[in-house]
Amino acid sequence: MVSRSFLTTYAPDGGLLQSDEWAKLPSASGIKTFPFQGRGFEGIALQHVLPIIGNYLFLSRGPVTNTADLDAVALKNELVRVARLGQAHWLRIEPQTEECLQELRHAFGKGAVVSAPRDISPRETFRVSLDGALEEWLGRMKSKTRYNVRLAEKHGVMVRFSRAAGDVEAFIDLIYATTNRKAIAPHPKEYYRNFVAVLPETMCTLAIAEHEGVMVAANLLVFFEGTAYYLHGGSADAKRELMAPFLLHFKSLEEARRRGCRWYDFGGVRVRSKQDVNDMDWDGITRFKQGFDSKSETLLFPGTYDIILSPFHYTFYRCARFAMGIRRILKY
């Protein structure tokens, strides 16, 4: 088992994606998980199976390390061990710190740790403090955001929190409508259902904004060791003038603090980095999120890297990926 106290102490983002609780989600979909730990490191690797090419292991926001007490050789040996268990030809990692990345590069040797074809998780995220009185929160918000929160209330937008099956299905429909509008590929529907099916009420809920009984926006929230994470959200095409997402997040901030959280993690932004995840409208996303706290600093991560264990299989993978990219470009 991965230690919660280790994650919250040494993972800048709070460690949710390397927790035992998070690992239950891929397990529910039949994905094998491989926990590991040692002096100065802990984590969980997920097995991904590619047709013909074979397997690789993915460490989402991991491994988590205490570089002041890290045994880098032991970490290398543990990663090789779990790779063998998962019959993996490479490891895809998302180290939480630059120091961890450098330790792994040194341990595995020159050329073994390379940039992945693309980042999986956002390289830069934004979180705000939930400390202070309501007046302090409003003072940290940009004037336009405060205005839109009040506008949504004036228009009669109501926010509630739910895990009911009907609300989950309506949320999924909203997610699919949003991703279709923005030309982004959504997760399979079962992925979203699993959050409520696997995680307890103390860890997961939907935040739902309604107008005249109709869901106009909704967010999926997960709570872990003092941090509330906004993971997925959707909004309707209609009634966008109601500014429901602004009130939805504001009420989510209040709910997070009611549950004892000290931080609210808005997820990916682009301030100090060059995000390439999903090729989204990062400028608009960043403006929206930073509107809730104009003074908070972003968290910056090294990015996604591959540790090559089998040069043959990894070269085959990169060539196949390149060939598929050419086919998409040529529409062939």
Side-chain angles (χ1 to χ4, degrees):
M1 293 180 63
V2 177
S3 166
R4 280 189 171 204
S5 61
F6 186 90
L7 294 179
T8 55
T9 301
Y10 299 109
D13 71 343
L16 171 67
L17 300 187
Q18 281 291 291
S19 68
D20 292 318
E21 289 80 4
W22 184 264
K24 294 176 183 177
L25 291 169
S27 293
S29 300
I31 296 174
K32 293 182 179 180
T33 62
F34 301 90
F36 59 91
Q37 58 185 181
R39 201 184 88 192
F41 64 87
E42 295 195 15
I44 298 175
L46 311 179
Q47 184 189 63
H48 286 255
V49 179
L50 299 178
I52 302 175
I53 296 170
N55 304 345
Y56 72 92
L57 297 187
F58 177 48
L59 284 70
S60 181
R61 286 280 191 255
V64 177
T65 58
N66 170 15
T67 51
D69 188 44
L70 176 63
D71 185 337
V73 174
L75 173 56
K76 173 188 175 181
N77 292 338
E78 271 295 277
L79 291 176
V80 170
R81 180 185 68 83
V82 296
R84 287 172 179 164
L85 290 175
Q87 299 178 309
H89 303 306
W90 70 92
L91 296 152
R92 179 154 291 168
I93 62 171
E94 294 181 325
Q96 294 251 352
T97 65
E98 189 66 33
E99 291 80 8
C100 174
L101 175 61
Q102 296 309 320
E103 290 283 359
L104 287 169
R105 279 178 165 159
H106 180 73
F108 278 90
K110 184 178 180 180
V113 182
V114 300
S115 295
R118 67 179 182 91
D119 287 332
I120 305 301
S121 300
R123 189 171 291 212
E124 187 176 10
T125 62
F126 182 67
R127 67 176 187 170
V128 301
S129 171
L130 299 177
D131 293 341
L134 180 62
E135 291 74 19
E136 294 179 64
W137 290 11
L138 293 171
R140 294 195 296 262
M141 292 165 60
K142 293 181 179 179
S143 59
K144 183 67 173 178
T145 301
R146 285 197 303 270
Y147 174 82
N148 286 336
V149 168
R150 289 165 178 158
L151 183 64
E153 289 181 314
K154 181 179 178 180
H155 282 308
V157 176
M158 304 295 292
V159 174
R160 61 184 178 87
F161 299 89
S162 172
R163 288 163 53 90
D167 288 328
V168 172
E169 294 306 311
F171 166 72
I172 293 172
D173 290 342
L174 207 59
I175 286 286
Y176 271 67
T178 303
T179 54
N180 287 339
R181 185 171 70 241
K182 297 184 177 181
I184 301 171
H187 292 282
K189 293 184 177 182
E190 200 61 28
Y191 170 86
Y192 303 104
R193 295 185 184 117
N194 279 343
F195 277 91
V196 173
V198 173
L199 299 180
E201 190 278 335
T202 54
M203 279 196 70
C204 176
T205 191
L206 291 177
I208 299 168
E210 293 179 327
H211 184 256
E212 298 177 345
V214 177
M215 185 184 295
V216 292
N219 294 338
L220 177 65
L221 305 176
V222 172
F223 310 94
F224 179 75
E225 292 297 301
T227 299
Y229 298 83
Y230 158 58
L231 297 180
H232 302 283
S235 59
D237 290 333
K239 300 187 177 183
R240 303 186 72 177
E241 72 279 1
L242 299 178
M243 301 298 170
F246 288 89
L247 182 62
L248 183 62
H249 275 286
F250 185 73
K251 292 297 183 181
S252 296
L253 290 166
E254 291 185 328
E255 175 68 9
R257 189 164 75 169
R258 187 188 71 78
R259 290 175 177 246
C261 294
R262 293 193 59 226
W263 299 97
Y264 186 89
D265 191 326
F266 276 95
V269 292
R270 184 172 63 190
V271 179
R272 299 182 287 158
S273 64
K274 294 182 179 179
Q275 298 278 28
D276 62 358
V277 181
N278 289 330
D279 193 28
M280 295 187 290
D281 173 22
W282 285 108
D283 291 338
I285 290 169
T286 300
R287 282 195 304 271
F288 172 80
K289 294 176 178 179
Q290 286 193 307
F292 287 88
D293 191 332
S294 58
K295 299 178 182 179
S296 287
E297 294 290 329
T298 60
L299 294 175
L300 193 60
F301 300 93
T304 307
Y305 293 82
D306 290 335
I307 300 177
I308 303 170
L309 303 176
S310 170
F312 172 79
H313 287 91
Y314 191 73
T315 300
F316 181 34
Y317 158 72
R318 295 296 292 255
C319 290
R321 194 177 189 281
F322 177 77
M324 291 301 294
I326 292 295
R327 289 185 61 182
R328 283 194 292 268
I329 291 171
L330 297 177
K331 301 184 185 303
Y332 154 70

